[in-house]
Amino acid sequence: QVQLVESGGGLAQAGESLGLSCGVIGYIHSIKEIGWYRQAPGGQRDLVAAITELDTIKSADSLKGRFTISKDDVQKTASLQISGLKVEDTAVYYCKADVWAMRYSKLDTLWGRGTQVTVSP
């Protein structure tokens, strides 16, 4: 029933900016943590950035200058803004969220289906 829906992926040119969005569909109490991971062809799924219910941000050191994450607790959405796109950013980007169920005593982990980001030279 509860799922994550990603949007904003597509084609972009190197040097441009791109924004991705992730929203929770269904009934939950709140989001404990929500973030983005990416997986390039032949690579593993790595953390890009994540933000907690207390607004603590965690991101890969090599990406901190170009990737910015934010969230809206009312709408239960998160955004990832990418600046200065590089060809190496080409990957499938996945949204992941740890959410509190309605009774707050249960923590569930949700994954989106992923959205493709392709950066041309």
Side-chain angles (χ1 to χ4, degrees), residues 11-110:
L11 300 175
Q13 189 175 16
E16 295 180 339
S17 297
L18 186 67
L20 305 180
S21 295
C22 175
V24 177
I25 304 299
Y27 296 100
I28 64 170
H29 180 274
S30 61
I31 299 173
K32 182 180 186 296
E33 180 175 315
I34 188 167
W36 292 87
Y37 292 71
R38 71 180 185 181
Q39 186 169 15
Q44 64 180 13
R45 191 173 298 185
D46 298 320
L47 171 71
V48 176
I51 184 168
T52 73
E53 59 189 344
L54 299 180
D55 295 326
T56 299
I57 296 176
K58 175 66 178 180
S59 63
D61 290 337
S62 61
L63 305 178
K64 288 183 177 180
R66 299 190 298 112
F67 292 76
T68 303
I69 191 170
S70 61
K71 65 179 175 68
D72 187 318
D73 292 324
V74 176
Q75 298 298 122
K76 295 182 175 60
T77 60
S79 297
L80 180 70
Q81 297 296 321
I82 313 173
S83 63
L85 281 166
K86 302 178 179 180
V87 174
E88 308 92 271
D89 294 326
T90 296
V92 178
Y93 286 71
Y94 298 90
C95 183
K96 177 191 176 184
D98 295 327
V99 302
W100 296 109
M102 294 300 295
R103 294 298 299 171
Y104 200 73
S105 61
K106 181 181 179 183
L107 187 66
D108 295 322
T109 297
L110 306 174

